[in-house]
Amino acid sequence: MTRPVMLLDLDGVLNPFGATTCPDGYLEREFYPGEGPERYCPAHGAWIKELAAAGDLHWATAWGEDANTLFAPVLGVGPFPVVPFPPLPFPPEDKVPAIARAAGDRPAAWIDDNHTAAGRRWAAGRSAPTLLVPVDSALGWTRADVDRVLAWAGEL
């Protein structure tokens, strides 16, 4: 069986920007001077490594290559391939064509805080196994999200 593609968003998933305060277990750091701090959880590095062992992990984030150069080093992971998105700002549904190209005809798990109707239609219409993992941007990525993807990948 072909290894699945693991598509991992950053803002809203690894950076729970929707939380009113910095959640337990997270740290804050200003990655972009003058734009305020983003949040990250050091424990996510191990989780990302687990996903990368189960499939081919790709950053699926508007951070682009900055996910590798700025964010990944604080987690001790990467670098990983980056799904090329349109220049910011772009509507969330504009992620779908790039996600579709990255996934090709392979099984794909897409972890994101904003799965649109267009993304759900894309997933439902694929012949390859596809898992959409919605993440609440106020909570961020959880161990249950990771376990769900790993269980799905194990059943392929």
Side-chain angles (χ1 to χ4, degrees), residues 14 16 21-28 39-44 47 75:
L14 301 179
T21 61
C22 187
D24 288 344
Y26 283 79
L27 302 172
E28 291 185 324
R39 298 165 177 162
Y40 68 96
C41 177
H44 287 168
W47 297 0
L75 299 179

Side-chain angles (χ1 to χ4, degrees), residues 3 12 22 53 56 77 93 95 100 113 123 132 134 139 141 143:
R3 281 172 56 88
C22 187
D56 295 335
V77 300
E93 57 270 7
K95 283 185 171 185
D113 65 307
L132 298 183
L139 299 175
W141 203 27
R143 184 66 219 188

Side-chain angles (χ1 to χ4, degrees), residues 8-16 26 44 111-113 135 140-141:
L8 183 60
D9 187 22
L10 201 155
D11 282 331
V13 176
L14 301 179
N15 169 27
Y26 283 79
H44 287 168
I111 305 158
D112 200 294
D113 65 307
V135 174
W141 203 27

